[in-house]
Amino acid sequence: MRLETPNKLEELRKSILEKQDPNKQKILVCGGTGCISNGSLEVAKAFEAELKSQKLKAEVEVKITGCHGFCERGPLVVFLPQSIFYERVDLKGVPDILKETLISGVPHDKYLYRMTKKDDPITKEEDIPFYKNQLRWVLRHNGKIDPTSIDEYIAQGGYSALAKALNGLSPERIVDEIDKAGLRGRGGGGFSTARKWRSVKDADGGPDNIRYVICNGDEGDPGAFMDRSLMEGDPHSVIEGMIIGAYAIGSNKGYIYVRMEYPLAVKHLDLAIKSARDYGLLGENILGSGFSFDIEINRGGGAFVCGESSALMASIMGRAGEPRAKYVHSSEKGLNDLPTNLNNVETWANVPLIINRGADWFAAVGTEKSKGTKVFSLVGSVNNVGLVEVPMGLSLREIIYGIGGGIPGGKKFKAVQTGGPSGGCIPEAHLDAPVDFDELTKLGSMMGSGGMIVMDEKTCMVDVAKYFINFLVDESCGKCTPCREGLRQLLIVLTRITEGKGKEGDIELLKDIGDCMTWGSLCALGGSASNPVISTIKYFRDEYEAHIKEKRCPAGVCQDLITFSIIEGDCIGCGRCLKVCPSSAITGENKKPHVIDEKLCIRCRACYEVCPVDAVMIE
Amino acid sequence: MNYSEKSVDKIVKDHNGDASKVILMLQDVQSEFRYIPREAVKKLSDDLDIPEARIYHIATFYKAFSLVPRGEHEIRVCLGTACHIKGGKRIAEGFERALKVKAGETTKDKKFTLETVNCLGACALAPLVQVDEENHSKMTIEKIDKVLKQYKK
Ligand SMILES: Cc1cc2nc3c(=O)[nH]c(=O)nc-3n(C[C@H](O)[C@H](O)[C@H](O)COP(=O)(O)O)c2cc1C
Ligand code: SF4
Ligand code: SF4
Ligand code: SF4
Ligand code: FES
Ligand code: FES
């Protein structure tokens, strides 16, 4: 069915809504990658089967949605309209959950949310601290609608921003609105979206007046999965944003570049593109406006550097994804040497929101220079792990403690890493800093795409720096010398330090190499590669010095600097450590204290991890 | 699967013989044969009229591609930041010991290829291990044997 005019879209929306009953009993089962891994699709099937056998099928709808954000607690199931939230639902629990929720009307206690086992349960989704303190704008549909149904998106008001844009807003007006809203790119650098759009719009599109728009769904930052959730859980909002942007810029052709590790995102985007085409929301003469635009999906080949704009475009053109020097901007000569506008997934998803609700509404939230919200993937040593969306300007403390529920196991907070391999580690002293583009940069880190990795006292900061450099050694394309050789040298020095062979002057050497790379590298991969090193030196210099001067790893991580032993009084003789020890370094009898032979131990840490009573000691 | 010229023919046709789609074609070749056979490179080079060297450049640049045959099952141990913090490296070492191969290698019986990867995008489940299409969340050293057993049949 083609929608020939914006009015037809409204009529369709009305007819979909008329068929929906807001009070109908619904069971939302999360079908995001995280919950699927933990068996959510089987759980959904079990609900269906159970409803059928209890003859409740007609009254209850089971819906598979995108990621709700609270992936660690999955599989998640939410009952509507009651808004009852169940976590870690397994097949065993399905019959009882149904019986108690639907028949007796009292939620089934066992699967309700509890922050820790000792806490009281919280019944409603909106009362859980993890959700309560968020402002879910971009993620508003995630976990609410079925991402494979365009009708559900339309019922939520989807594509009305596109209709509004095509029906009465000039391309200039749209760019102005995005400008006034103060939208900055969510992919890393925080560049003004309107400014980028304007320069592409004004660039020379050649004899055929061609311009491209691209959505960057490469999401290479380790520890980040915001873009994945959006593409999987609400693909239409990304597509709608792209169509509006294309109209504003004057482009007829778009690409979505998705990394190959995200097959479900590709599937949902593909489906969304096809159904948008069927409705005439994509393709020729969109909504009868005369404007034509279509989108193609490109699967990336698994190279971090392909997230960089010029590398990404090279990859779409069928070449190795190597960045080029940017004497000329992609906004003038990008894909096929024509003006190209590249934005991140989350950036695009913000566009319909701004067009619908207006720039002033959008700009009312956030800080002076960072408007709206930002989605973070809050992971690592934090109680509530998952995706969180918060207004810009919330403090790190409010995110990590308010929403994240603090550090598990009574451990102490040490640092939070933001900005991925281009970012840095922020220590406790700055936990009250407001989170926005400029504040994080001031602290020597970066907003980046939104990875937020919380680290506790058991994390060695030298090891973390080494980790990022090791990552980048693998990922550097090797085209320019400062990056290729600089990374190698950084790794050599950091490895030496973590092995207890560090020398006086190594810290200064790290800084010098980092400086060279910052100034001399061709692209931002090399240009920002030293950030994790510099920021850990800045805030945790004592830890570097302990490694270099005292040959000691204070956090007990660096393998060459630690020894393992068992505390005799604490050991209950369960034998678990003995079973996992790969080098037969542990001896002992059942129910009696075990001992480690230090000479045989290869310091693999397995015993430490399995011991149920923390009897293994690291020094 | 063994190399067959017909399959590569079809892959080229699926992409309308468009040389700028060579990466997508290589992805299809990889999923068909589980590696990029030399013959396929030669054929793509002929059909698309691009030098073999450029195709090898691509095939070695992107991590998705392998020029040697892979094992029946691919084990990917995530070493992304979230997984690193939760001990991903030790899980990888555990698999290396259990399979008696180093990361990047294939077992002698061609059953498993062990790999480490940088973030699979399900970081809330760290440490994460993916075997073929299946995710195993919150891996521990103790679970390694159990996971391997599932695929050994
Ligand atoms: C090495 C490197 C990797 C990058 N990876 C990504 C990525 O995975 N996703 C992304 O959106 N931007 C990434 N970027 C930033 C992009 O190059 C680009 O700035 C961004 O996509 C622009 O979109 P925005 O203006 O909406 O932020 C990367 C940059 C560099 C230098
Ligand atoms: S800085 Fe690194 S990734 Fe960027 S072009 Fe140079 S070598 Fe390649
Ligand atoms: S650290 Fe590893 S090798 Fe050493 S005793 Fe523990 S389990 Fe055995
Ligand atoms: S696992 Fe812990 S309690 Fe059990 S035998 Fe080993 S040291 Fe003792
Ligand atoms: S995948 Fe289910 S909550 Fe994220
Ligand atoms: S860090 Fe392992 S899945 Fe992201």
Side-chain angles (χ1 to χ4, degrees):
Chain A
M1 175 186 48
R2 268 191 82 84
L3 304 166
E4 309 285 351
T5 63
N7 276 341
K8 286 271 188 306
L9 174 68
E10 278 319 304
E11 282 167 29
L12 173 67
R13 189 181 339 271
K14 275 203 201 96
S15 81
I16 299 169
L17 284 171
E18 267 160 28
K19 274 181 244 148
Q20 286 185 351
D21 170 7
N23 293 319
K24 182 168 177 168
Q25 182 65 56
K26 289 195 196 89
I27 303 176
L28 308 184
V29 181
C30 177
T33 295
C35 287
I36 289 180
S37 310
N38 287 329
S40 71
L41 296 183
E42 288 78 25
V43 166
K45 276 201 200 106
F47 272 116
E48 293 267 12
E50 192 64 26
L51 286 168
K52 212 163 155 192
S53 75
Q54 298 199 20
K55 303 228 170 6
L56 287 163
K57 181 93 184 76
E59 296 138 55
V60 186
E61 182 190 352
V62 177
K63 186 150 64 181
I64 294 177
T65 69
C67 170
H68 294 230
F70 213 176
C71 317
E72 196 204 6
R73 303 268 177 161
L76 301 185
V77 175
V78 177
F79 278 66
L80 291 181
Q82 306 91 323
S83 185
I84 299 169
F85 179 92
Y86 291 113
E87 61 171 36
R88 298 184 177 130
V89 177
D90 49 20
L91 294 176
K92 236 177 30 234
V94 168
D96 286 345
I97 289 178
L98 267 188
K99 203 159 64 211
E100 303 204 6
T101 324
L102 297 187
I103 298 170
S104 74
V106 186
H108 185 48
D109 189 75
K110 190 175 156 210
Y111 295 91
L112 289 177
Y113 169 84
R114 286 174 168 82
M115 179 133 104
T116 67
K117 285 201 181 81
K118 283 179 247 125
D119 292 315
D120 286 335
I122 299 176
T123 312
K124 285 185 189 277
E125 180 166 8
E126 58 268 26
D127 296 334
I128 297 172
F130 178 77
Y131 288 110
K132 200 162 71 184
N133 298 313
Q134 294 192 39
L135 180 61
R136 289 166 84 92
W137 281 4
V138 172
L139 296 177
R140 65 199 177 284
H141 298 138
N142 253 59
K144 299 266 184 304
I145 66 171
D146 171 0
T148 63
S149 157
I150 188 170
D151 282 2
E152 290 219 348
Y153 181 69
I154 289 175
Q156 298 285 330
Y159 288 107
S160 59
L162 174 66
K164 184 173 169 186
L166 294 177
N167 204 20
L169 301 180
S170 65
E172 289 74 28
R173 230 342 260 296
I174 294 172
V175 183
D176 284 347
E177 200 69 16
I178 299 294
D179 200 4
K180 234 170 72 195
L183 179 64
R184 294 170 70 173
R186 304 302 198 228
F191 194 73
S192 153
T193 304
R195 231 163 73 209
K196 199 190 279 184
W197 285 18
R198 211 166 264 139
S199 61
V200 178
K201 187 171 153 59
D202 295 340
D204 178 6
D208 298 318
N209 202 18
I210 293 173
R211 281 172 190 76
Y212 299 104
V213 297
I214 304 179
C215 170
N216 190 345
D218 197 48
E219 193 161 62
D221 274 11
F225 58 109
M226 305 77 48
D227 294 347
R228 168 177 211 157
S229 278
L230 259 175
M231 292 186 284
E232 285 177 2
D234 192 15
H236 284 287
S237 72
V238 180
I239 292 170
E240 186 179 0
M242 286 180 74
I243 309 172
I244 295 170
Y247 169 69
I249 292 163
S251 160
N252 305 112
K253 174 87 195 163
Y255 293 86
I256 307 181
Y257 190 88
V258 191
R259 64 196 300 221
M260 57 143 195
E261 287 92 339
Y262 290 180
L264 192 64
V266 172
K267 194 170 139 200
H268 286 183
L269 284 166
D270 195 43
L271 209 72
I273 288 173
K274 288 201 174 105
S275 40
R277 256 186 225 140
D278 284 346
Y279 277 164
L281 296 163
L282 206 56
E284 295 289 315
N285 193 13
I286 295 172
L287 289 174
S289 65
F291 169 65
S292 302
F293 174 70
D294 213 339
I295 296 176
E296 197 176 307
I297 298 175
N298 227 282
R299 277 175 301 151
F304 172 71
V305 70
C306 282
E308 195 275 344
S309 53
S310 61
L312 187 146
M313 290 174 207
S315 179
I316 293 183
M317 289 189 281
R319 294 207 299 263
E322 287 169 357
R324 59 166 179 80
K326 295 207 196 96
Y327 311 112
V328 187
H329 286 284
S330 304
S331 50
E332 283 162 36
K333 276 188 174 185
L335 200 62
N336 303 327
D337 277 342
L338 289 160
T340 305
N341 183 82
L342 176 73
N343 279 124
N344 164 263
V345 171
E346 193 184 327
T347 314
W348 287 119
N350 267 296
V351 170
L353 213 61
I354 294 171
I355 298 302
N356 252 336
R357 313 287 296 260
D360 294 334
W361 172 84
F362 187 85
V365 159
T367 61
E368 197 196 333
K369 291 204 172 116
S370 303
K371 300 297 186 188
T373 63
K374 177 77 192 87
V375 186
F376 291 101
S377 90
L378 185 62
V379 294
S381 300
V382 58
N383 274 312
N384 301 333
V385 165
L387 280 191
V388 305
E389 183 175 355
V390 296
M392 297 265 194
L394 211 65
S395 72
L396 286 164
R397 192 186 300 279
E398 283 165 303
I399 297 175
I400 296 166
Y401 287 86
I403 296 173
I407 318 302
K411 294 208 182 76
K412 262 186 67 192
F413 171 89
K414 186 166 200 176
V416 54
Q417 207 281 339
T418 70
S422 308
C425 295
I426 301 169
E428 185 161 23
H430 295 292
L431 271 182
D432 290 307
V435 176
D436 77 2
F437 288 106
D438 313 301
E439 289 296 325
L440 290 183
T441 310
K442 260 191 238 157
L443 294 176
S445 185
M446 241 178 75
M447 176 79 88
S449 55
M452 203 175 257
I453 295 114
V454 183
M455 301 170 180
D456 65 25
E457 54 191 319
K458 296 284 173 206
T459 317
C460 167
M461 301 317 281
V462 187
D463 176 71
V464 167
K466 187 175 82 171
Y467 163 78
F468 279 110
I469 297 305
N470 204 11
F471 172 92
L472 289 172
V473 165
D474 270 357
E475 299 292 347
S476 161
C477 82
K479 187 169 164 174
C480 64
T481 319
C483 171
R484 186 184 60 238
E485 300 305 325
L487 282 169
R488 238 167 238 151
Q489 293 309 316
L490 285 178
L491 186 61
I492 290 173
V493 179
L494 285 167
T495 305
R496 168 159 100 211
I497 296 175
T498 55
E499 284 174 351
K501 298 172 194 147
K503 295 189 271 218
E504 197 75 44
D506 271 354
I507 295 179
E508 286 64 38
L509 182 57
L510 288 171
K511 283 184 171 167
D512 283 349
I513 302 170
D515 274 348
C516 280
M517 294 178 64
T518 307
W519 293 110
S521 295
L522 191 62
C523 85
L525 186 146
S528 60
S530 61
N531 284 359
V533 182
I534 304 299
S535 80
T536 45
I537 292 178
K538 180 167 162 198
Y539 297 120
F540 301 95
R541 198 184 174 105
D542 52 333
E543 219 164 306
Y544 278 83
E545 280 171 356
H547 282 78
I548 297 172
K549 295 193 181 132
E550 301 160 38
K551 313 293 174 209
R552 189 169 67 83
C553 175
V557 171
C558 295
Q559 272 179 343
D560 295 290
L561 304 179
I562 51 177
T563 53
F564 289 78
S565 58
I566 291 170
I567 307 168
E568 199 186 320
D570 288 349
C571 175
I572 52 170
C574 70
R576 280 176 75 180
C577 57
L578 188 148
K579 240 198 270 156
V580 295
C581 177
S583 66
S584 312
I586 301 179
T587 47
E589 277 171 51
N590 206 5
K591 304 225 169 87
K592 294 208 183 108
H594 285 44
V595 282
I596 293 175
D597 181 344
E598 216 184 284
K599 281 197 280 315
L600 293 175
C601 173
I602 57 166
R603 296 179 279 245
C604 73
R605 216 181 177 93
C607 52
Y608 177 81
E609 264 163 33
V610 300
C611 180
V613 294
D614 293 330
V616 179
M617 192 170 60
I618 304 179
E619 273 172 308
Chain B
M1 214 180 125
N2 286 328
Y3 175 75
S4 99
E5 195 170 313
K6 251 191 31 229
S7 313
V8 181
D9 236 6
K10 180 167 179 310
I11 288 168
V12 173
K13 287 217 181 74
D14 283 350
H15 296 282
N16 302 321
D18 180 352
S20 76
K21 299 274 149 70
V22 61
I23 297 178
L24 305 182
M25 293 182 208
L26 284 170
Q27 285 173 350
D28 293 349
V29 169
Q30 171 87 28
S31 56
E32 181 89 15
F33 309 115
R34 281 199 274 116
Y35 78 112
I36 311 280
R38 277 179 184 281
E39 299 92 322
V41 175
K42 175 100 189 39
K43 181 157 168 56
L44 286 178
S45 161
D46 290 343
D47 287 7
L48 304 175
D49 196 24
I50 42 183
E52 275 187 53
R54 217 183 99 197
I55 301 181
Y56 279 115
H57 184 37
I58 294 169
T60 50
F61 183 85
Y62 294 101
K63 295 207 173 52
F65 305 129
S66 166
L67 293 169
V68 290
R70 318 278 275 176
E72 194 181 321
H73 299 291
E74 288 186 47
I75 302 173
R76 287 174 281 265
V77 184
C78 181
L79 296 185
T81 325
C83 292
H84 176 78
I85 297 290
K86 300 238 162 144
K89 189 168 143 242
R90 294 188 288 275
I91 304 287
E93 288 165 358
F95 272 101
E96 289 185 334
R97 284 193 299 267
L99 294 170
K100 301 194 176 60
V101 292
K102 288 267 161 234
E105 296 174 354
T106 301
T107 53
K108 270 212 192 79
D109 60 4
K110 295 271 181 317
K111 203 91 201 162
F112 297 104
T113 297
L114 180 66
E115 262 183 357
T116 56
V117 292
N118 295 321
C119 190
L120 294 160
C123 324
L125 312 179
L128 187 70
V129 173
Q130 194 177 58
V131 185
D132 303 329
E133 309 277 88
E134 212 173 334
N135 284 339
H136 298 269
S137 52
K138 301 196 178 166
M139 268 304 288
T140 62
I141 300 256
E142 280 176 309
K143 282 205 278 192
I144 290 178
D145 284 335
K146 223 167 59 200
V147 167
L148 285 178
K149 225 189 232 150
Q150 280 179 40
Y151 300 91
K152 266 192 181 143
K153 281 160 259 158

